[in-house]
Amino acid sequence: MASNSPSHPPSYIAFEGGEGSGKTTQTRLLAARLGAVLTREPGGTPLGGRLRELLLNTEDVALGARAEALMMAADRAQHLEEIVLPALASGQHVVSDRSLYSSMAYQGAGRQLGIDAIASLNDWAIDQRRPDVVVLLTVPTDVSGERLDRSLDRIELAGADFHRRVGDAFVEMAAAEPQRWLVIDGTGSIDEVETRLWSALKPRL
Ligand code: TMP
């Protein structure tokens, strides 16, 4: 359960990584372990659910890179206001499947809009409230490809070069801020990854 003494304020923990990294499974397990609020971007709110549908599954309307970045930021602004900040204020940990760092990687590096520009846009959207801890789950592309057994969405279909830029951006952002990021090897069984992750994360909470 989320038992927080005043000396241990609740943490806002985000998971990042490419598709098929196992982050959705690990966010669920960690949230259950901590008694945390489990949420995600895009799609953590009713508005976000509608935006997610437009962002990922719409084929009959054009959606340019800048519109995509703004819609991700709009989802995030509502998510902070409606889910993350109230949960933290009530003393609960928050575990989120993705955060602004996904926009920096996918829209900033992947779509080549610029990581700094996307960071500024999103810092405005969330009034600078970035996650306290960011977990980057890393897996080689052959493992992530095997784990992706469903049909691919609009962004997953963006191509190998796009996804290489995204992956490189995550690694660079993690290296630049080691006090915020935890890089966890996501290979092996679900239990192995969970144990590895928990032993690295526990001292940060
Ligand atoms: P998910 O399938 O991991 O929930 O993520 C949905 C897709 O949206 C995934 O391909 C990553 C992408 N995405 C962005 O491009 N920018 C963002 O800011 C976020 C949160 C996700």
Side-chain angles (χ1 to χ4, degrees):
M1 290 304 293
S3 54
N4 299 299
S5 68
S7 59
H8 291 95
S11 293
Y12 171 21
I13 303 158
F15 279 63
E16 297 288 2
E19 293 84 2
S21 63
K23 85 191 151 35
T24 302
T25 304
Q26 294 299 329
T27 52
R28 276 198 210 114
L29 293 170
L30 180 65
R33 187 195 275 270
L34 292 172
V37 170
L38 172 63
T39 187
R40 70 171 175 177
E41 293 181 2
T45 64
L47 173 72
R50 296 199 193 176
L51 290 171
R52 183 180 175 97
E53 198 54 31
L54 283 168
L55 281 159
L56 302 182
N57 299 327
T58 308
E59 284 158 15
D60 56 346
V61 293
L63 178 55
R66 284 171 190 263
E68 179 182 272
L70 288 163
M71 285 167 67
M72 291 288 183
D75 165 80
R76 184 161 297 122
Q78 188 64 28
H79 184 230
L80 263 284
E81 190 176 314
E82 190 173 331
I83 306 287
V84 179
L85 297 179
L88 294 172
S90 74
Q92 285 180 288
H93 293 296
V94 174
V95 175
S96 180
D97 191 340
R98 301 196 182 276
S99 71
L100 83 158
Y101 295 103
S102 279
S103 278
M104 290 158 69
Y106 284 82
Q107 281 67 52
R111 300 283 191 222
Q112 299 183 297
L113 293 174
I115 292 181
D116 291 346
I118 295 297
S120 303
L121 169 71
N122 280 277
D123 275 328
W124 181 79
I126 61 173
D127 200 13
Q128 319 284 334
R129 186 55 172 100
R130 293 189 179 198
D132 302 305
V133 182
V134 186
V135 177
L136 177 62
L137 284 181
T138 59
V139 289
T141 44
D142 53 328
V143 175
S144 56
E146 275 169 29
R147 288 177 182 177
L148 269 184
D149 53 359
R150 55 188 167 77
S151 62
L152 301 181
D153 64 41
R154 211 176 51 80
I155 292 174
E156 285 160 352
L157 288 169
D161 285 349
F162 174 95
H163 287 284
R164 200 167 306 114
R165 289 195 295 276
V166 170
D168 289 350
F170 278 132
V171 170
E172 283 162 23
M173 291 190 288
E177 263 193 311
Q179 70 288 4
R180 195 194 305 267
W181 289 71
L182 278 177
V183 182
I184 305 293
D185 174 5
T187 58
S189 70
I190 290 171
D191 285 355
E192 283 164 354
V193 178
E194 193 201 5
T195 304
R196 201 178 288 143
L197 167 61
W198 180 241
S199 56
L201 180 63
K202 203 170 170 220
R204 303 264 188 123
L205 297 180

